[in-house]
Amino acid sequence: DGGITQSPKYLFRKEGQNVTLSCEQNLNHDAMYWYRQDPGQGLRLIYYSQIVNDFQKGDIAEGYSVSREKKESFPLTVTSAQKNPTAFYLCASTPIANYGYTFGSGTRLTVV
Amino acid sequence: RKEVEQDPGPFNVPEGATVAFNCTYSNSASQSFFWYRQDCRKEPKLLMSVYSSGNEDGRFTAQLNRASQYISLLIRDSKLSDSATYLCVVNSRGANFGNEKLTFGTGTRLTIIP
């Protein structure tokens, strides 16, 4: 079955550490997105990519980095520069333009 | 003004009742509109797209009013399983042609009471 897979489901980070969240899709979708969701807030766009080897900053890109070396993969690194990283991170993909997104099941990141 | 605004609720509605949500958007150039459903601690899932002519899927009806820049979702004969947060989603063109992204409302929480 086609789908979008995020791992790990839960992640704990120590202060000052970088961590990488995985996102893989086998839907042959061109565009991939990373969102962050905090309690009581809507989803906020971190980064997005519409084609391999190209990506764009979203609304809250500071403290995050991404790569898009393969169409299927769009990993997100939460760096130590991100001061408040505890959140629910959602990866999504879509065939280009005017389609709804398919989301992965998310990664819950907690700073300990 | 927020790009997409929803009443956060909560809406507590008896089983079998009809409930309606509205959502307003600020960008008049927005092209596509969606309703998503999100269960507690889960990812959002596409409920339905919203077309200019309005569309219906079983007990769910979505409508778009471009002149007033709002979309609506109507749920008839509500079930316990309809309890969730409903997200209004708008596709707005980015700064560069072709760079489109979805903007999510904060969601309306619905609880169906037995």
Side-chain angles (χ1 to χ4, degrees):
Chain A
D1 282 340
I4 181 166
T5 302
Q6 289 187 242
S7 64
K9 194 172 181 70
Y10 299 96
L11 185 59
F12 296 90
R13 192 194 94 167
K14 292 183 180 179
E15 295 277 355
Q17 270 187 337
N18 291 356
V19 291
T20 297
L21 283 58
S22 170
C23 179
E24 303 276 335
Q25 53 98 1
N26 59 3
L27 299 165
N28 200 34
H29 286 173
D30 290 298
M32 297 185 75
Y33 303 79
W34 274 105
Y35 282 87
R36 167 183 173 142
Q37 188 175 36
D38 296 278
Q41 296 196 37
L43 277 70
R44 293 184 289 168
L45 181 63
I46 304 172
Y47 269 99
Y48 64 103
S49 168
Q50 302 207 331
I51 194 169
V52 174
N53 292 324
D54 186 58
F55 48 82
Q56 308 292 330
K57 290 183 179 180
D59 301 318
I60 55 164
E62 186 175 349
Y64 300 97
S65 65
V66 294
S67 63
R68 187 85 187 276
E69 296 177 1
K70 299 185 300 183
K71 187 176 185 178
E72 301 79 19
S73 179
F74 191 41
L76 173 74
T77 296
V78 184
T79 75
S80 57
Q82 171 50 238
K83 297 307 177 189
N84 187 22
T86 295
F88 186 38
Y89 289 87
L90 288 157
C91 180
S93 70
T94 182
I96 204 71
N98 289 338
Y99 280 72
Y101 293 172
T102 299
F103 281 91
S105 57
T107 294
R108 291 197 180 274
L109 173 63
T110 303
V111 173
V112 296
Chain B
R1 183 183 174 187
K2 287 184 180 178
E3 287 188 67
V4 177
E5 287 200 76
Q6 294 182 252
D7 182 343
F11 284 55
N12 298 317
V13 174
E15 192 175 6
T18 296
V19 60
F21 309 132
N22 279 345
C23 163
T24 59
Y25 61 95
S26 61
N27 186 350
S28 60
S30 298
Q31 301 294 316
S32 305
F33 309 89
F34 308 91
W35 283 102
Y36 275 73
R37 170 195 169 122
Q38 186 174 24
D39 293 294
C40 189
R41 300 180 70 81
K42 300 284 189 182
E43 75 274 21
K45 293 186 177 176
L46 180 63
L47 180 65
M48 58 197 304
S49 302
V50 186
Y51 303 121
S52 296
S53 55
N55 48 301
E56 188 174 308
D57 182 3
R59 297 182 294 109
F60 298 83
T61 301
Q63 300 223 314
L64 167 64
N65 185 319
R66 284 194 183 272
S68 301
Q69 292 182 210
Y70 77 84
I71 66 173
S72 64
L73 177 68
L74 182 78
I75 307 175
R76 289 181 300 278
D77 187 25
S78 54
K79 313 289 185 192
L80 296 176
S81 58
D82 294 332
S83 296
T85 296
Y86 290 83
L87 306 176
C88 170
V89 184
V90 175
N91 188 331
S92 304
R93 287 199 175 270
N96 302 318
F97 178 77
N99 288 344
E100 296 185 68
K101 62 181 178 72
L102 295 185
T103 302
F104 288 75
T106 54
T108 298
R109 187 179 176 96
L110 173 66
T111 300
I112 306 300
I113 303 165

